[in-house]
């Protein structure tokens, strides 16, 4: 009972202490807010109302009156960079770096911001030099990530590989897919120079890093085909199915051409039909459709497209069905059917695009490296309409 009474007596005391602490905090907050220039709140208000031009003017006035306001310099420089005024951002951050009285942590931050300004302005040599000075400090991960971006922009793939490994060691997560892609870029350059042995050696490294690298396997087949080793090329391209069945559509035409060259076209057609059954794809259907007309009959091609359209109803599939109908339709109905086909074709072309799963950037061509967000392997090997139907 005594224990409960003491607690009751202590409650008013705790309440009084809390009230006094709150009063002290409020007074301190009011004192600090009075010491801030009015222009600071004006600039903050403009930022909240999404008026960056007016916010910049307000902050510039404060910086003129109080050159020691370091945080405002940082805010001002970042605003300039976001608006694309990189020259002004560079001047702001250079002034901070050159100040002898600036604490080391703020100077390091100013250097990092300056490096970002250079990167945004496309001054890659200066950006690289700046970020290299930051790889042994608190901004190590961010600096190494920026260096990796620089080497990719400059297409210096060997240096990009080293940068990716360094980024992994810095604790920024695995970079196996990117490293494999960099090896593929090197292999593609070697293939363009007809250095097939070097290309194959580099592709083996890519697969050692990422055994599921579809691009490495496709390129390996391309190398073998370039030197007339068609059987080896087919063997390489057949590995795509083991890695990712949907990506088979990317090598369908290659496989069909190779089987023709080996004088076994029917074997190739049967193989692609099995793939189509397993993973429906408009691009794969296109190859199978043409090969069926060539090796079988128009009626068989017609039936093939009809079955696919029932299974996966798309405008792109309907366009193929109309192509098949136009081949066998009687001459008097051909003009009307051609008109319908042209109308469908117009709408189908808008849907016949690949779409980045990260940023949504759409292209007619399949890319391993997104032109929009610069990420690797973000394009599914299916057209946008197919993805919408599947979802």
């Amino acid at each position: 009972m005594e224990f409960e009474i003491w607690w009751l007596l202590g409650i008013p005391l705790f309440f009084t202490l809390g009230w006094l602490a709150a009063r002290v905090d409020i007074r301190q907050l009011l004192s600090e807010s009075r010491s801030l220039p009015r222009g600071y709140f004006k600039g903050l208000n403009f930022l909240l109302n999404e008026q960056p031009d007016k916010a910049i003017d307000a902050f510039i006035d404060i910086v003129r009156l109080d050159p020691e306001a370091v945080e405002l310099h940082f805010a001002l420089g970042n605003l300039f960079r976001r608006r694309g005024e990189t020259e002004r951002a560079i001047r702001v951050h250079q002034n901070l770096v050159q100040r002898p009285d600036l604490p080391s942590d703020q100077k390091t931050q100013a250097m990092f911001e300056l490096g970002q300004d250079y990167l945004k302005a496309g001054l890659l040599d200066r950006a690289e030099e700046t970020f290299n000075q930051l790889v042994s400090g608190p901004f190590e991960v961010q600096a190494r990530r920026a260096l990796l971006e620089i080497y990719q922009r400059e297409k210096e793939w060997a240096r990009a590989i080293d940068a990716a490994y360094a980024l992994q060691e810095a604790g920024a997560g695995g970079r196996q897919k990117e490293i494999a892609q960099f090896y593929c870029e090197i292999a593609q350059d070697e293939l363009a120079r007809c250095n097939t042995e070097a290309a194959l050696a580099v592709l083996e490294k890519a697969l050692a890093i990422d055994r599921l690298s579809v691009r490495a396997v496709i390129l390996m087949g391309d190398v073998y085909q370039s030197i007339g080793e068609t059987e080896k090329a087919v063997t390489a391209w057949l590995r795509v199915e083991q890695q990712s069945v949907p990506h088979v559509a990317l090598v369908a035409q290659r496989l069909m051409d190779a089987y023709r060259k080996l004088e076994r076209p029917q074997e190739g057609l049967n193989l692609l039909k099995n793939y189509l059954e397993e993973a429906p794809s408009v691009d794969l259907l296109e190859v199978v459709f043409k090969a069926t007309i060539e090796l079988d009959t128009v009626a068989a091609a017609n039936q093939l497209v009809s079955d696919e359209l029932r299974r996966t109803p798309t405008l792109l599939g309907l366009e193929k069905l109309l192509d098949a109908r136009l081949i066998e339709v009687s001459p008097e109905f051909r003009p009307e059917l051609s008109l319908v086909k042209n109308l469908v074709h117009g709408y189908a072309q808008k849907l016949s695009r690949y779409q980045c799963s990260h940023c949504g950037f759409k292209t007619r061509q399949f890319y391993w490296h997104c032109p929009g967000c610069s990420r690797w392997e973000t394009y599914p090997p299916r057209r946008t309409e197919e993805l919408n139907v599947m979802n």
Side-chain angles (χ1 to χ4, degrees):
M1 194 69 177
E2 275 182 49
F3 177 77
E4 293 178 0
I5 291 170
W6 278 111
W7 268 102
L8 288 172
L9 291 172
I11 287 173
L13 177 63
F14 292 137
F15 177 79
T16 303
L17 290 173
W19 180 80
L20 288 171
R23 292 277 293 175
V24 170
D25 287 344
I26 290 169
R27 283 177 181 173
Q28 184 178 353
L29 184 63
L30 288 171
S31 174
E32 289 176 356
S33 66
R34 287 194 189 102
S35 66
L36 289 170
R38 288 185 60 190
Y40 174 82
F41 296 103
K42 189 190 292 185
L44 192 60
N45 186 52
F46 285 136
L47 276 181
L48 292 173
N49 290 322
E50 297 183 358
Q51 295 176 284
D53 293 341
K54 293 182 179 179
I56 285 174
D57 292 337
F59 288 145
I60 286 174
D61 289 338
I62 301 171
V63 168
R64 280 201 203 100
L65 294 171
D66 183 10
E68 303 299 316
V70 174
E71 292 303 327
L72 280 176
H73 279 78
F74 280 124
L76 192 58
N78 290 340
L79 275 172
F80 282 141
R81 186 171 66 240
R82 284 174 58 188
R83 294 183 71 248
E85 296 183 50
T86 50
E87 288 186 13
R88 299 178 78 181
I90 288 169
R91 284 202 301 272
V92 169
H93 292 130
Q94 276 179 337
N95 288 336
L96 287 174
V97 170
Q98 291 165 2
R99 277 178 56 171
D101 61 326
L102 205 65
S104 61
D105 58 332
Q106 289 185 328
K107 185 165 285 191
T108 303
Q109 184 184 349
M111 282 188 67
F112 176 70
E113 298 295 345
L114 182 59
Q116 287 188 301
D117 296 337
Y118 288 144
L119 191 58
K120 181 76 179 285
L123 303 172
L124 300 185
D125 289 343
R126 291 188 188 180
E128 181 185 352
E129 183 183 347
T130 304
F131 287 124
N132 271 324
Q133 297 177 53
L134 298 169
V135 294
S136 57
F139 287 92
E140 178 186 4
V141 172
Q142 298 96 315
R144 292 197 183 280
R145 194 174 283 125
L147 286 169
L148 180 58
E149 182 184 341
I150 289 168
Y151 298 141
Q152 289 181 78
R153 283 202 208 176
E154 294 179 332
K155 300 188 184 301
E156 295 188 26
W157 304 115
R159 298 182 76 183
I161 290 168
D162 293 339
Y165 276 123
L167 198 53
Q168 278 189 168
E169 292 170 7
R175 287 289 188 276
Q176 288 86 352
K177 283 188 180 296
E178 288 172 271
I179 293 169
Q181 287 289 344
F182 300 153
Y183 277 123
C184 287
E185 292 287 343
I186 294 172
Q188 205 153 0
D189 291 341
E190 296 290 358
L191 181 57
R193 291 191 289 267
C194 298
N195 297 332
T196 53
E197 287 187 14
L200 288 172
V202 171
L203 290 170
E204 290 291 353
K205 289 182 181 179
L207 287 168
I209 295 294
D210 179 13
R211 63 184 180 81
L212 295 178
S213 175
V214 174
R215 186 185 182 190
V217 167
I218 294 175
L219 282 173
M220 194 169 281
D222 291 344
V223 174
Y224 283 126
Q225 186 71 303
S226 72
I227 57 177
E229 298 276 1
T230 306
E231 284 284 6
K232 288 184 177 180
V234 168
T235 302
W237 291 327
L238 289 177
R239 287 174 62 182
V240 173
E241 182 199 8
Q242 301 164 18
Q243 297 171 314
S244 171
V245 176
H247 282 85
V248 168
L250 300 178
V251 293
Q253 191 61 60
R254 288 177 170 90
L255 281 167
M256 198 63 232
D257 291 341
Y259 276 107
R260 284 194 189 96
K261 194 171 183 179
L262 294 170
E263 298 182 353
R264 290 158 24 210
Q266 193 61 51
E267 182 183 340
L269 177 57
N270 294 337
L271 175 73
L272 295 182
K273 281 183 177 179
N274 290 335
Y275 287 154
L276 186 62
E277 187 69 28
E278 190 176 354
S281 161
V282 171
D283 293 324
L284 183 54
L285 176 61
E286 171 82 18
V287 179
V288 175
F289 170 68
K290 289 180 178 177
T292 302
I293 291 175
E294 176 193 341
L295 301 171
D296 206 334
T297 62
V298 174
N302 204 331
Q303 187 61 50
L304 170 80
V305 178
S306 296
D307 293 342
E308 277 304 304
L309 192 57
R310 290 189 189 94
R311 187 161 63 130
T312 312
T314 63
L315 276 178
L316 296 166
L318 177 60
E319 186 182 7
K320 293 288 162 284
L321 180 63
L322 292 171
D323 282 336
R325 291 281 194 268
L326 275 168
I327 295 172
E328 60 180 6
V329 74
S330 57
E332 63 268 22
F333 295 113
R334 192 162 290 150
E336 288 82 359
L337 197 57
S338 294
L339 179 61
V340 174
K341 195 260 181 186
N342 290 335
L343 286 171
V344 170
H345 176 76
Y347 285 104
Q349 285 302 299
K350 296 176 183 177
L351 302 170
S352 182
R353 300 187 183 204
Y354 298 102
Q355 182 172 1
C356 175
S357 59
H358 180 258
C359 70
F361 192 87
K362 294 181 181 180
T363 65
R364 296 190 183 278
Q365 180 183 344
F366 180 86
Y367 285 104
W368 296 105
H369 188 222
C370 176
C373 63
S374 297
R375 296 199 173 216
W376 293 93
E377 297 187 37
T378 54
Y379 278 94
R382 289 191 172 99
R383 307 284 178 169
T384 52
E385 188 188 18
E386 295 176 269
L387 294 173
N388 292 334
V389 169
M390 292 172 66
N391 292 337

